[in-house]
Amino acid sequence: MILIDYRDARPIYEQVVERFRILILRGVIKPDEKMPSVRNLAVDLSINPNTIQRAYAELERQGYIYTVKGKGNFVSESGQLLQKYKEEIFAQLVEIYKTAIGIGITEDELVACIKEGGAYD
């Protein structure tokens, strides 16, 4: 379900947050479904439980999960979250577009790069 890329420069908890965000937004993990326990996930990923706890705290802060005292963590309804995530991605794309145009990359080059999955000449 979750894989950690140790070559990724981001902290492990951020990778866990991002992987769960994608799983929730794609509907792989359904609303009100119970999340894996902190301890079990930490053992499965061979990482410190505090790292998982930090990731879960961030997911809860962002509205992706909620906690039921004594029961665990559960997935929130993701309808509005998907729209918010799309808005974040579009904002990032606008910034990248501005930067690219600012250094002389053409719109055609940007479109070609996106369509070819990141390849550029």
Side-chain angles (χ1 to χ4, degrees):
M1 185 187 284
I2 300 287
L3 297 174
I4 302 300
D5 181 0
Y6 292 101
R7 292 173 290 161
D8 193 325
R10 295 176 299 160
I12 291 172
Y13 88 93
E14 287 182 7
Q15 293 182 50
V16 172
V17 168
E18 185 63 21
R19 302 296 194 289
F20 272 120
R21 283 174 71 174
I22 299 300
L23 291 171
I24 291 168
L25 292 173
R26 286 188 175 169
V28 174
I29 306 174
K30 306 284 186 226
D32 299 318
E33 187 173 327
K34 190 173 186 328
M35 296 283 287
S37 75
V38 170
R39 183 175 292 139
N40 287 344
L41 188 56
V43 168
D44 289 348
L45 297 176
S46 299
I47 58 177
N48 191 310
N50 292 334
T51 302
I52 301 301
Q53 188 60 46
R54 185 172 182 188
Y56 277 14
E58 181 62 20
L59 286 165
E60 186 168 14
R61 188 189 69 73
Q62 293 178 9
Y64 286 89
I65 64 174
Y66 61 93
T67 301
V68 176
K69 205 87 159 151
K71 301 269 188 209
N73 298 293
F74 297 84
V75 176
S76 300
E77 183 61 47
S78 60
Q80 292 177 338
L81 295 172
L82 180 57
Q83 183 58 35
K84 182 180 173 191
Y85 193 61
K86 284 181 180 181
E87 290 169 6
E88 290 174 20
I89 290 172
F90 288 132
Q92 291 172 5
L93 286 172
V94 168
E95 288 304 312
I96 291 169
Y97 173 82
K98 288 178 183 178
T99 301
I101 296 299
I103 64 166
I105 297 173
T106 67
E107 285 186 28
D108 291 339
E109 289 174 315
L110 285 172
V111 170
C113 179
I114 291 169
K115 285 183 176 180
E116 294 169 14
Y120 62 93
D121 292 80

